[in-house]
């Protein structure tokens, strides 16, 4: 049998399970791609859209894998051994240290994102033909679908740049077609054009629907479209990728307008305390999440990767806090530090990053819990570690079990404020009002007020606030690429924003990427990816075993 190309590889299981394993869609026929057996009434369409929203949760791990791992905040045990404070080997150390190659590429099959794109494409193809829907119903569904397709392509574009362009459903006679799915990588400019077109169309369709589409934080809505629009246009303004040149001021103004619409709506505001934006018992009262993935006991779907930053009970209870107090379990603390019992530590944030927090910054202790393994030694290097209770979920004393049921924020209002600060700064305006809103929540009324400085100083101040605000939310790698130093180069090449692996002066180990390795801003295609699709070419700059 002819080899399936790599996009088909990511679809193979999805094609079989889209309607058999997904909530709300488990009664659909096996040949769901064939419109003759589906798209027959409003209930089916509503169920399909519910399914598309549910896949935002199943792909949530991409935020950490693509945006957090290479961002320069995760360490190696801070002694170079790749071993945690509890003695466990840690994951992805070569990726964390930017050692990317064709045979060490992290992802296969475009991380499965094309399966989601094809599902969205099917909705975009079929909904206009559903005569049983009103024009406003069609517009509302199309607004969601266009927003979601731009969302998935934005992940692909920031990760690989020029990726295959798939805007059809790539099927033949109701079956996924390997031949139709095989695509060469398009120019980066074509992908940017599609993302802008899709996100603008999403906004237009919300206008046509006469609705913002808000159901709750777990479903795509106008405000998700607007913050994604701001991100896409800000990226276009600042980042050159392949043949897509950075566009500058005009796109920054478009991004600013999108953010201002969110701010002016008055619909969102920061939660009073930082921890409230993440803790499970504040889900129903969360005023900050614009879009979030719902992790919970009911669906038995839990926050991805966070268990790798917690600690298994047999390690946890032989360690100490920084005051040399033995750690202990306390089942009465439903959201407390001492109930983090279900994980091996595979990711450990840098000691130098933890020490960069002001002691009065409440984000530090709401995000991290610092521990040491040996009470007789100083808490530094291999004897220092931080657990991440920020998304640790809930301990249920009645069950004696801990569930990682914290919601996963995709977009929250804090990002609106810090992205607005960045854009205002890039436009030559004063970013301090937006920075200070973040600081006031972080410190309380007695917060260190930020005053407008030079553009480069402002940029670094915004980055450092973002670092502390968005731990485990997958923002920093993208911040480093989009934000610029005084010479106009991405901060990924700026040593002064790199927290060292070995505790010491900021930037003492050089930048996250050297200028000679600028090609590593984009990720390589894996050996499997290259092997499975003969039309694909390796990302420029990487050595390849494949002649195309």
């Amino acid at each position: 049998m002819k080899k399936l190309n790599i996009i088909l590889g990511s679809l193979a299981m999805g094609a079989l399970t889209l309607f058999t394993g997904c909530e709300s869609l488990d009664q659909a026929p096996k040949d769901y791609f064939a419109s003759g057996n589906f798209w027959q009434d409003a209930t089916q369409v509503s169920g399909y859209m519910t399914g598309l929203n549910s896949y935002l949760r199943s792909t949530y791990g991409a935020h950490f894998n693509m945006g957090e791992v290479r961002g320069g905040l995760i360490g190696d045990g801070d002694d170079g051994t790749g071993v945690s404070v509890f003695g466990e080997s840690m994951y992805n150390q070569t990726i964390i240290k930017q050692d990317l190659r064709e045979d060490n590429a992290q992802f296969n099959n475009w991380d499965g994102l094309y399966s989601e794109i094809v599902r969205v494409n099917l909705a975009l193809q079929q909904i206009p033909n559903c005569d049983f829907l009103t024009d406003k119903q069609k517009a509302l569904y199309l607004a969601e679908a266009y927003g979601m397709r731009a969302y998935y392509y934005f992940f692909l574009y920031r990760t690989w740049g020029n990726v295959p362009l798939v805007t059809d459903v790539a099927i033949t006679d109701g079956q996924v077609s390997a031949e139709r799915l095989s695509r060469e990588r398009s120019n980066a400019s074509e992908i940017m054009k599609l993302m802008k077109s899709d996100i603008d169309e999403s906004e237009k369709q919300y206008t046509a629907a006469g609705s913002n589409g808000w159901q709750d934080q777990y479903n795509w809505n106008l405000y998700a479209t607007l913050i994604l629009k701001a991100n896409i246009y800000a990226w276009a303004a600042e980042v050159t990728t392949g043949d897509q040149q950075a566009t500058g001021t005009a796109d920054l103004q478009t991004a600013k307008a999108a953010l201002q619409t969110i701010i002016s709506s008055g619909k969102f505001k920061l939660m009073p305390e930082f921890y409230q934006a993440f803790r499970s018992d504040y889900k129903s009262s969360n005023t900050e999440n614009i879009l979030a993935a719902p992790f919970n006991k009911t669906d038995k779907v839990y926050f991805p990767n966070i268990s790798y930053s917690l600690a298994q009970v047999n390690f946890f209870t032989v360690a100490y806090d920084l005051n040399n107090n033995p750690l202990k379990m306390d089942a009465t603390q439903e959201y407390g530090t001492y109930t983090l019992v279900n994980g091996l530590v595979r990711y450990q944030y840098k000691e130098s990053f933890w020490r960069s927090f002001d002691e009065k910054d409440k984000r530090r202790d709401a995000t991290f819990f610092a521990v040491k393994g040996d009470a007789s030694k100083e808490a530094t290097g291999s004897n220092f570690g931080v657990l991440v209770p920020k998304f640790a979920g809930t301990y249920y004393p009645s069950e004696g079990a801990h569930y990682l049921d914290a919601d996963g924020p995709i977009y929250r209002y804090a990002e609106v404020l810090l992205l607005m600060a960045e854009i205002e700064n890039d436009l030559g305006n004063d970013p301090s009002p937006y920075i200070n809103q973040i600081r006031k929540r972080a410190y309380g009324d007695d917060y260190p007020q930020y005053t407008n400085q030079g553009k480069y100083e402002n940029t670094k101040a915004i980055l450092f606030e973002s670092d502390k605000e968005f731990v485990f939310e997958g923002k920093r790698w993208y911040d480093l690429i989009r934000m610029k130093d005084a010479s106009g180069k991405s901060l990924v090449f700026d040593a002064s924003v790199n927290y060292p692996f070995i505790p010491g002066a900021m930037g003492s180990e050089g930048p996250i990427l050297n200028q000679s390795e600028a090609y590593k801003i984009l990720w390589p295609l894996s050996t499997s990816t290259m092997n499975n699709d003969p039309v694909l070419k390796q990302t420029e700059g990487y050595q390849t075993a494949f002649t195309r």
Side-chain angles (χ1 to χ4, degrees):
M1 179 179 178
K2 184 177 179 179
K3 282 184 178 178
L4 297 181
N5 67 74
I6 198 64
I7 302 175
L8 180 58
S10 69
L11 277 168
M13 290 307 297
L16 294 175
T17 63
L18 176 59
F19 284 80
T20 58
C22 176
E23 308 111 319
S24 305
L25 301 179
D26 56 358
Q27 300 302 313
K30 291 182 180 179
D31 59 339
Y32 68 92
F33 280 118
S35 60
N37 291 322
F38 202 69
W39 309 99
Q40 297 300 298
D41 58 47
T43 300
Q44 289 180 333
V45 179
S46 176
Y48 193 89
M49 297 306 296
T50 297
L52 290 186
N53 277 285
S54 77
Y55 284 108
L56 296 172
R57 178 171 67 184
S58 66
T59 57
Y60 187 77
H63 290 271
F64 180 82
N65 294 327
M66 294 180 178
E68 193 82 359
V69 172
R70 293 181 66 194
L73 301 182
I74 299 175
D76 63 352
D78 287 337
D79 61 355
T81 63
V83 176
S84 80
V85 68
F86 296 114
E88 303 126 307
S89 61
M90 293 188 290
Y91 287 162
N92 291 321
Q93 285 299 297
T94 55
I95 303 297
I96 288 167
K97 295 178 180 178
Q98 314 300 331
D99 181 17
L100 279 72
R101 307 179 303 275
E102 188 171 78
D103 61 354
N104 187 44
Q106 179 86 343
F107 302 110
N108 292 316
N109 303 350
W110 308 101
D111 202 35
L113 294 177
Y114 278 102
S115 60
E116 315 313 328
I117 287 172
V118 169
R119 290 174 177 126
V120 174
N121 288 347
L122 182 60
L124 292 172
Q125 172 185 286
Q126 295 296 336
I127 287 170
N129 302 321
C130 295
D131 295 336
F132 48 84
L133 297 175
T134 67
D135 288 344
K136 288 191 174 182
Q137 286 174 322
K138 290 180 184 179
L140 198 56
Y141 290 141
L142 291 172
E144 288 184 67
Y146 278 114
M148 284 187 244
R149 187 166 71 178
Y151 170 80
Y152 291 124
Y153 266 111
F154 196 40
F155 269 121
L156 291 167
Y157 183 82
R158 291 177 298 174
T159 305
W160 291 285
N162 57 320
V163 296
L165 186 63
V166 180
T167 57
D168 60 325
V169 296
I171 60 171
T172 303
D173 297 326
Q175 300 294 322
V176 179
S177 167
E179 289 76 17
R180 290 187 61 186
L181 277 169
S182 184
R183 311 286 171 93
E184 295 182 1
R185 300 174 75 164
S186 298
N187 290 333
S189 59
E190 295 178 82
I191 306 301
M192 178 57 72
K193 181 180 179 180
L194 175 70
M195 290 189 297
K196 285 184 172 181
S197 174
D198 277 358
I199 204 64
D200 290 347
E201 186 63 28
S202 175
E203 189 177 5
K204 290 176 184 176
Q205 291 292 340
Y206 277 117
T207 299
S211 170
N212 59 26
W214 179 266
Q215 299 178 53
D216 53 37
Q217 60 186 306
Y218 306 126
N219 289 274
W220 196 274
N221 57 78
L222 170 62
Y223 306 103
T225 285
L226 289 171
I227 190 169
L228 175 58
K229 181 175 184 175
N231 271 280
I232 290 172
Y233 276 83
W235 194 272
E238 298 292 355
V239 182
T240 293
T241 302
D243 70 327
Q244 175 62 47
Q245 295 295 309
T247 53
T249 301
D251 278 356
L252 285 176
Q253 293 287 6
T254 299
K256 177 180 175 179
L259 295 174
Q260 189 59 58
T261 300
I262 299 174
I263 294 170
S264 299
S265 73
K267 188 170 183 62
F268 305 97
K269 60 182 179 180
L270 298 177
M271 293 292 284
E273 296 290 341
F274 181 73
Y275 75 87
Q276 295 170 342
F278 315 102
R279 219 170 73 175
S280 305
D281 55 335
Y282 285 91
K283 288 184 180 185
S284 62
S285 59
N286 194 312
T287 60
E288 188 164 340
N289 278 340
I290 296 171
L291 186 67
F295 298 107
N296 53 69
K297 286 174 58 181
T298 302
D299 298 332
K300 297 181 179 180
V301 181
Y302 302 110
F303 199 108
N305 297 309
I306 192 66
S307 66
Y308 298 133
S309 290
L310 304 182
Q312 200 170 51
V313 61
N314 60 317
F315 291 126
F316 187 76
T317 54
V318 296
Y320 303 84
D321 66 20
L322 298 190
N323 295 317
N324 291 329
N325 297 311
L327 303 183
K328 60 183 179 180
M329 308 307 296
D330 184 349
T332 67
Q333 297 191 34
E334 294 177 66
Y335 310 99
T337 302
Y338 302 144
T339 59
L340 311 184
V341 299
N342 291 326
L344 295 172
V345 175
R346 302 300 192 185
Y347 296 107
Q348 187 168 289
Y349 282 77
K350 292 177 178 176
E351 177 185 344
S352 57
F353 176 46
W354 184 87
R355 295 191 184 281
S356 75
F357 283 78
D358 188 298
E359 289 185 4
K360 296 180 181 179
D361 188 338
K362 291 180 284 187
R363 291 173 297 190
R364 187 190 70 178
D365 293 342
T367 301
F368 295 127
F369 179 61
V371 301
K372 59 191 297 188
D374 187 336
S376 67
K377 296 180 180 178
E378 182 183 1
T380 191
S382 61
N383 196 40
F384 181 94
V386 286
L387 307 180
V388 184
K390 181 179 177 182
F391 292 113
T394 312
Y395 182 78
Y396 293 85
S398 62
E399 300 180 38
H402 189 115
Y403 295 101
L404 305 175
D405 59 0
D407 284 343
I410 296 173
Y411 298 120
R412 57 186 179 92
Y413 191 61
E415 182 177 354
V416 173
L417 296 176
L418 285 175
L419 186 55
M420 181 64 100
E422 179 187 339
I423 290 169
E424 288 283 48
N425 184 48
D426 289 344
L427 289 171
N429 302 324
D430 181 3
S432 63
Y434 302 101
I435 296 173
N436 284 327
Q437 287 185 61
I438 296 295
R439 286 193 174 186
K440 184 175 182 180
R441 200 262 297 270
Y443 289 84
D445 290 337
D446 189 24
Y447 65 94
Q449 293 195 32
Y450 186 78
T451 56
N452 188 29
Q453 301 179 44
K455 186 176 180 180
Y456 176 51
E457 290 75 15
N458 289 342
T459 296
K460 291 205 293 184
I462 295 165
L463 175 69
F464 294 148
E465 291 300 324
S466 182
D467 290 348
K468 296 172 177 64
E469 187 74 22
F470 297 116
V471 170
F472 227 90
E473 296 181 57
K475 306 294 183 183
R476 193 177 201 249
W477 175 247
Y478 306 126
D479 288 347
L480 291 171
I481 297 170
R482 190 183 59 246
M483 294 182 178
K484 299 297 182 4
D485 66 12
S487 66
K489 294 180 181 178
S490 292
L491 291 185
V492 75
F493 305 119
D494 186 339
S496 71
V497 301
N498 189 16
Y499 302 92
F501 283 99
I502 306 300
M506 190 75 167
S508 59
E509 295 173 0
I512 291 177
L513 278 184
N514 292 315
Q515 191 69 47
S516 61
E517 295 183 313
Y519 65 92
K520 288 186 178 180
I521 283 179
L522 297 177
W523 298 59
L525 300 184
S526 69
T527 299
S528 174
T529 304
M530 295 292 293
N531 190 55
N532 285 339
D533 193 340
V535 305
L536 290 175
K537 293 182 179 180
Q538 183 56 268
T539 304
E540 187 174 351
Y542 290 96
Q543 292 185 353
T544 179
F546 298 85
T547 303
R548 303 281 164 84

